[in-house]
Each structure stands twice: as structure tokens, then as C-alpha cells.
Amino acid sequence: MEDVTKSYSNGDITIIWKPSLCQHSTLCWKGESGLLPVFNPFKKPWITPSGATTGEIIKRVRNCPSGALSFYYNEGADKKDSQ
Ligand code: SF4
């Protein structure tokens, strides 16, 4: 697969998505661990960064087992919502 990197910002953070690394574990969107309003493979684009709080997004990104999802704080972002 082509080595593509996509980014999606909610103002506080930028979510990085590397499709070539995704193992399709479904952890980010399915079941109790999932956050479907943000990570929805049935939508295009499949990531909607406005769909949940920054803290909720960070939790799911950190659960991604493959490293396909990562994030960084945008410059000047308030990090209090990240725990
Ligand atoms: S949690 Fe990571 S590896 Fe699993 S489906 Fe989501 S992006 Fe892919």
C-alpha cells in the first residue's frame, strides 16, 4: 500500500492517520472501546475530529495497537483536557 499520512485537527490536537499501518483491530471505533462519532469507517472522511472531546480522542488514539493513529498538540493548545 502507498505510504500515505493524513491529518485531522480539532483545534487542540492533530490526529495523524497512517493507513498502511492499520491492522483493522476495530478498537478505535467498535464496541465499548470505540468512539464512533470520531472514528467511523463507514463515513468519508472516516475521522471527524469534532465528534468528541480532545481527551476522549487521545484515549482512543493511545489504544491503537498498530501505531496507525497518533496525535500531537497544536501550538498554543490547552493540554488540560488530555488526561
Ligand atoms: S485502532 Fe488502530 S489498528 Fe485498530 S482499526 Fe483503529 S486505526 Fe486501525
Side-chain angles (χ1 to χ4, degrees), residues 2 19-20 24-25 32 35 37 39 47 54-55:
E2 209 181 321
S20 62
H24 306 285
S25 68
E32 297 220 347
L35 193 61
F39 303 104
I47 295 179
T54 295

Side-chain angles (χ1 to χ4, degrees), residues 13 54-55 58-59 62 71 73 78-83:
I13 59 168
T54 295
I58 288 173
K59 193 173 155 192
R62 286 182 172 153
F71 77 97
Y73 290 100
D78 185 351
K79 298 180 183 175
K80 74 175 181 342
D81 195 23
S82 65
Q83 301 308 311

Side-chain angles (χ1 to χ4, degrees), residues 12-48:
D12 290 335
I13 59 168
T14 298
I15 304 164
I16 304 296
W17 157 241
K18 294 184 177 176
S20 62
L21 296 180
C22 181
Q23 298 167 344
H24 306 285
S25 68
T26 73
L27 279 176
C28 59
W29 61 273
K30 204 173 183 182
E32 297 220 347
S33 69
L35 193 61
L36 202 56
V38 175
F39 303 104
N40 187 336
F42 305 107
K43 283 175 65 176
K44 270 192 178 260
W46 84 283
I47 295 179
T48 306

